[in-house]
Amino acid sequence: REAGRDSNTANMLALISSTASLGFTLPSSAAAVGGARCSAVEMISVGEKLPKSVLSKAGLSGKKGALFFYGADDAPSCSKELSEFEGSLADFDARGVSVVGVRNGAGAKGYDGPIRVIVDDGDEMREELAIEKDLFGLLGGRETYVVDQSGTVVSVHNNQFDPKSHVTTALAAAESLPAGAPNPFEAFAEALSSLKPPELPALGGN
């Protein structure tokens, strides 16, 4: 994760340089490049549980899931991330892992692909998870969590400039999850569907 942060900082420096050359200025709060970013809420780490409210909003309560936060449906890097997740949906499905994308109201631009995406009104979910913003608050953090059925986090990945890495990292974490016990109701329904009705004796003509 720290290596990813260092890579992000290098990319941010390049982006800052290019924006400066175009005449844009950074907010006055940008005091130091790569400095520590503080939050009143502790960030969620591997081994901890996602808040129940976040799991509920994402529809992941009691489910294995990959929950990824991105900026906007139509942003180039976000479109690439959505496309990469789409291409790996079958792999996640095979492991019983639900994939859910999250962006705020401003980033909802009419995505209608196969991935379930939800709106994070007022960035409430981001704030509850203490997802840090990048580029001194100019960009919402790109963060992906993989959880098991109990809601315990098994992987956290942050990389603003490499959307594909979110998919490969999440898939690797999904592969490490145990298959889990089969749903007893599904097993019962499957057993019922396999039963054949008894054959009735033919009625005599006399």
Side-chain angles (χ1 to χ4, degrees), residues 13-24:
L13 284 169
L15 188 55
I16 290 170
S17 176
S18 62
T19 53
S21 67
L22 294 174
F24 294 104

Side-chain angles (χ1 to χ4, degrees), residues 42-44 50-51 54 69 125-131 145:
E42 290 293 327
M43 297 177 65
I44 302 294
L50 282 189
V54 171
F69 290 79
M125 296 171 71
R126 282 179 175 271
E127 291 179 4
E128 192 165 3
L129 295 173
I131 296 177
Y145 301 85

Side-chain angles (χ1 to χ4, degrees), residues 39-92:
S39 172
V41 183
E42 290 293 327
M43 297 177 65
I44 302 294
S45 301
V46 171
E48 298 178 336
K49 290 183 180 293
L50 282 189
K52 291 182 178 179
S53 59
V54 171
L55 291 170
S56 177
K57 291 175 183 177
L60 293 177
S61 299
K63 299 179 181 179
K64 294 184 287 186
L67 183 66
F68 66 100
F69 290 79
Y70 65 101
D73 297 339
D74 58 352
S77 59
C78 297
S79 295
K80 181 177 180 180
E81 184 175 5
L82 285 164
S83 178
E84 292 288 345
F85 269 111
E86 287 176 4
S88 298
L89 268 184
D91 295 319
F92 284 102

